[in-house]
């Protein structure tokens, strides 16, 4: 932490970071536009390392995933874009500057392609989206699973790769041992095509997922609510990042991932909102961090690392974002807080004063109008 610090930004890139007195006196700082952040915290923008931003869509009144897939087919691409864009804007207001986004329409190529195209159109504006293709095998498909995987490997993945619409191939874990060979085939093929890999391990017995993940050098294993302390040690040993989602228990069964065991064993933990428009519409990384402290026993410093640089590593973009260092993109926040420790208790509040992405403000805190001179009122 730098008390009375400054950053110098040019063309969207951090040029210098250090004590104000030094940075202000640099020749390069002459003529710079000054943004006063006195009394406030300046920190890296949040990296939300796990979201389901566009799927399942809002407004479905059933739990079955076929209804969600149908909703993707029925909605126009424009409508899906407008809805998703509204969530993206809300994320920016709460300080997220980079977010991973998963598909997960099951084995429906049309719906998958449509979602990925929507995410592709929204990829850079105003925050950075990192799309992941999420393979979800529908239940009861056991007999046809290998066949389905062959189709995914031979047709779907290469198509997605050619279009460049997804960086990661993710896998919705199922602990049925009969599926292990299918999953191994999928991960091997995806890796060969150049995808980064992830495992979405929200179910019971994630032990085999960790084994497969280590074998295929996954970028992260996510959820892990059912992991034991000894499995946590194994994950740490394998140097796999775990992306934890402490707001999950609002919609889940109250289980918590063993964050303390993971960190104490030397593992790297990232954080994500696990946002989805259907039944988990919570996108505030500040709330996620407060829950990581309150429920997972993480310190606020650990939560900040998890919500910034570790998240960037989990998304394979730590060379560009995730920390305030010369050479990195100027993705930063100015918080209405005198100390970063305030984030530990920021549950359901928004401390963000300014959000900057690539050196440009994508959000500025608005004023509350005095009632007397209220020009905003529609009827006077
Ligand atoms: Zn998830």
């Amino acid at each position: 932490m730098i008390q009375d610090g400054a950053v110098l930004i040019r063309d969207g890139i951090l040029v210098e970071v250090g004590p104000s007195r030094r940075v202000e006196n640099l020749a390069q700082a002459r003529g710079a536009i000054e943004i006063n952040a006195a009394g406030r915290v300046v920190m890296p923008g949040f990296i939300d390392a796990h979201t389901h931003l566009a799927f399942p869509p809002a407004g479905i009144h059933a739990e079955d995933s076929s209804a969600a897939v149908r909703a993707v087919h029925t909605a126009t691409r424009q409508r899906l874009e407008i809805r998703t864009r509204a969530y993206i804007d809300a994320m920016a207001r709460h300080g997220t500057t980079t977010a991973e986004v998963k598909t997960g329409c099951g084995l429906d190529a049309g719906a998958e392609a449509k979602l990925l195209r929507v995410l592709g159109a929204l990829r850079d504006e105003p925050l950075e989206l990192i799309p992941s293709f999420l393979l979800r095998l529908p239940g009861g498909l056991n007999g046809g699973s290998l066949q389905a995987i062959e189709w995914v490997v031979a047709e779907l993945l290469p198509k997605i790769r050619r279009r460049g619409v997804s960086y990661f191939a993710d896998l919705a874990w199922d602990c049925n041992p009969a599926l292990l060979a299918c999953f191994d085939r999928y991960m091997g093929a995806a890796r060969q095509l150049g995808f980064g890999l992830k495992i979405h391990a929200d179910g019971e017995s994630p032990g085999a997922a960790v084994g497969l993940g280590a074998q295929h050098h996954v970028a992260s294993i996510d959820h892990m609510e059912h992991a034991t302390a000894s499995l946590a040690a194994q994950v740490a040993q394998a140097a796999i990042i775990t992306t934890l989602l402490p707001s999950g228990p609002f919609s889940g069964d109250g289980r918590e991932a063993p964050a303390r065991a993971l960190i104490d064993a030397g593992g790297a933990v990232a954080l994500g909102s696990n946002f989805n428009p259907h039944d988990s519409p919570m996108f505030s990384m500040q709330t996620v961090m407060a829950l990581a402290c309150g429920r997972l026993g993480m310190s606020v410093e650990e939560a900040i690392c998890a919500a910034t640089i570790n998240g960037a590593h989990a998304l394979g973009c730590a060379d560009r974002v995730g920390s305030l260092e010369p050479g990195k993109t100027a993705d930063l926040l100015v918080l209405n807080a005198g100390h970063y420790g305030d984030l530990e208790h920021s549950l359901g509040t928004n401390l963000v004063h300014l959000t900057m992405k690539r050196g440009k403000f994508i959000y500025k805190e608005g004023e509350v109008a005095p009632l007397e001179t209220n020009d905003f009122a529609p009827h006077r």
Side-chain angles (χ1 to χ4, degrees):
M1 183 167 74
I2 303 168
Q3 292 281 2
D4 190 13
V7 297
L8 182 65
I9 299 162
R10 173 178 287 148
D11 299 329
I13 302 290
L14 291 161
V15 179
E16 279 290 342
V17 180
S20 295
R21 220 166 344 139
R22 184 175 73 77
V23 174
E24 283 170 1
N25 285 323
L26 291 169
Q28 304 173 77
R30 229 170 278 152
I33 298 163
E34 191 182 316
I35 300 151
N36 189 350
R40 291 184 159 116
V41 169
V42 176
M43 65 172 294
F46 299 128
I47 314 272
D48 188 342
H50 182 126
T51 84
H52 303 258
L53 192 58
F55 185 87
I60 304 161
H61 301 288
E63 281 307 312
D64 79 304
S65 59
S66 59
V69 173
R70 272 200 306 280
V72 171
H73 278 292
T74 336
T76 62
R77 250 167 67 189
Q78 193 189 20
R79 190 182 166 85
L80 288 171
E81 258 179 55
I82 289 168
R83 283 201 162 177
T84 308
R85 175 62 192 255
Y87 297 130
I88 291 172
D89 289 355
M91 286 174 146
R93 286 196 284 273
H94 289 77
T96 299
T97 48
T98 302
E100 187 260 9
V101 192
K102 297 177 196 305
T103 60
C105 303
L107 297 169
D108 188 314
E112 281 289 330
K114 193 169 182 181
L115 265 194
L116 284 168
R117 240 174 268 143
V118 167
L119 299 178
L122 296 166
R123 182 141 70 188
D124 267 329
E125 192 40 40
L127 48 95
E128 185 180 357
L129 296 186
I130 301 193
S132 298
F133 164 72
L134 172 62
L135 175 72
R136 204 187 276 285
L137 284 182
L141 196 78
N142 277 343
S145 291
L146 203 52
Q147 218 177 334
I149 291 285
E150 285 310 322
W151 171 76
V152 169
V153 162
E155 307 265 336
L156 193 54
L157 278 183
K159 198 181 284 178
I160 292 170
R161 191 69 202 159
R162 270 199 306 280
R163 291 191 181 140
V165 283
S166 174
Y167 297 96
F168 288 101
D170 198 345
L171 169 66
W173 186 251
D174 184 325
C175 64
N176 180 351
L179 289 170
L180 193 59
C182 295
F183 291 163
D184 184 39
R185 169 90 176 106
Y186 166 70
M187 302 225 103
R191 189 147 69 109
Q192 234 167 19
L193 285 166
F195 287 98
L197 303 178
K198 287 180 176 291
I199 301 181
H200 193 274
D202 59 341
E204 282 169 36
S205 321
V210 171
L212 192 68
Q215 195 187 318
H216 288 287
H217 305 287
V218 293
S220 71
I221 299 188
D222 300 23
H223 278 279
M224 296 291 270
E225 289 89 3
H226 291 261
T228 59
S230 75
L231 185 62
Q234 236 174 287
V235 178
Q237 190 85 43
I240 299 172
I241 298 176
T242 42
T243 298
L244 305 185
L245 315 160
S247 63
F250 282 121
S251 48
D253 59 4
R255 275 177 171 272
E256 311 282 7
R260 223 26 295 147
L262 281 161
I263 295 170
D264 293 343
V269 166
L271 286 170
S273 65
N274 201 27
F275 172 95
N276 84 53
H278 172 51
D279 59 4
S280 181
M282 202 293 292
F283 43 70
S284 169
M285 287 301 286
Q286 296 166 71
T287 297
V288 169
M289 290 160 77
L291 291 171
C293 295
R295 290 178 137 177
L296 302 186
M298 288 167 67
S299 70
V300 68
E301 289 84 359
E302 288 166 347
I304 289 172
C305 287
T308 57
I309 187 69
N310 287 5
H313 278 288
L315 300 183
C317 54
D319 55 331
R320 296 184 283 116
V321 298
S323 59
L324 302 184
E325 294 176 73
K328 285 200 175 183
T329 304
D331 289 8
L332 59 81
L333 308 175
V334 179
L335 300 184
N336 290 323
H339 193 280
Y340 66 80
D342 290 4
L343 286 165
E344 183 170 353
H345 307 292
S346 179
L347 189 72
T349 62
N350 187 12
L351 296 178
V352 174
H353 176 57
L354 299 169
T355 306
M356 178 183 278
K357 178 74 186 173
R358 294 185 186 130
K360 299 226 162 69
F361 289 117
I362 55 171
Y363 170 68
K364 290 183 185 183
E365 184 183 14
E367 284 174 27
V368 177
L371 195 54
E372 296 276 293
T373 56
N374 195 338
D375 295 329
F376 306 126
H379 307 293
R380 301 244 278 161

